Amino acid sequence: MARDSAYSGVRSMADTAAVKKPRASKKASEGAHRLRIRVRAYEHGVLDTSVKQIIDTAARHSATVIGPVPLPIDIKKYTVNRSAFIDKDSREQFEMRIHKRMIDILNPSPKVIEALTNIDLPSGVNIDVKMM
């Protein structure tokens, strides 16, 4: 009896399967087209202004915008010897930070796509556009 009362809070596999929420079917999302824009830059200030410009352009043409969603920062670190091979203990470390944002535009019209291709963004900002 003591053993049964100790395990009373544990659910069986059949109980946990009944509790899970059903996932949205792919057929429901097939009708909705999505334009996914990933923006990358080394400076977060330039990145934020360019993302704001993209969102304002999409909103001007009455498109539904989701985001910007901040993605994890890629940090690349490099360690370099300061002098020749004799002084191995003397090193410098450098790092590059790549900031990323993601924007989704639901059911984009041709006017929205045309307006987004004509945007003039500053140098150092990389854009990847996918139609999903």
Side-chain angles (χ1 to χ4, degrees):
M1 288 285 189
R3 185 173 184 191
D4 291 336
S5 63
Y7 290 104
S8 63
V10 178
R11 293 183 176 173
S12 68
M13 293 298 275
D15 293 339
T16 56
V19 174
K20 290 184 182 180
K21 295 179 183 177
R23 292 185 182 182
S25 65
K26 291 185 179 181
K27 292 180 183 177
S29 64
E30 283 179 10
H33 294 288
R34 179 179 293 199
L35 191 68
R36 179 160 284 176
I37 303 171
R38 292 188 64 192
V39 187
R40 305 173 74 184
Y42 292 117
E43 299 179 26
H44 65 87
V46 174
L47 179 68
D48 291 336
T49 56
S50 61
V51 165
K52 186 175 185 323
Q53 189 175 1
I54 291 170
I55 291 174
D56 290 343
T57 304
R60 197 175 322 128
H61 295 288
S62 66
T64 306
V65 179
I66 299 174
V69 177
L71 298 174
I73 300 171
D74 287 341
I75 301 175
K76 296 180 180 178
K77 293 186 179 183
Y78 300 98
T79 304
V80 179
N81 287 341
R82 288 188 183 187
S83 63
F85 63 94
I86 296 172
D87 299 320
K88 177 113 175 154
D89 296 335
S90 178
R91 297 181 184 190
E92 284 182 305
Q93 290 185 337
F94 302 99
E95 71 179 22
M96 290 189 332
R97 291 176 176 250
I98 302 171
H99 302 271
K100 298 181 284 187
R101 305 283 186 270
M102 184 180 68
I103 304 167
D104 282 344
I105 300 175
L106 300 178
N107 295 326
S109 65
K111 289 183 179 181
V112 173
I113 295 172
E114 182 181 342
L116 289 174
T117 56
N118 293 334
I119 289 180
D120 186 31
L121 295 176
S123 62
V125 177
N126 298 328
I127 297 176
D128 297 329
V129 180
K130 282 186 184 176
M131 189 72 161
M132 302 180 86

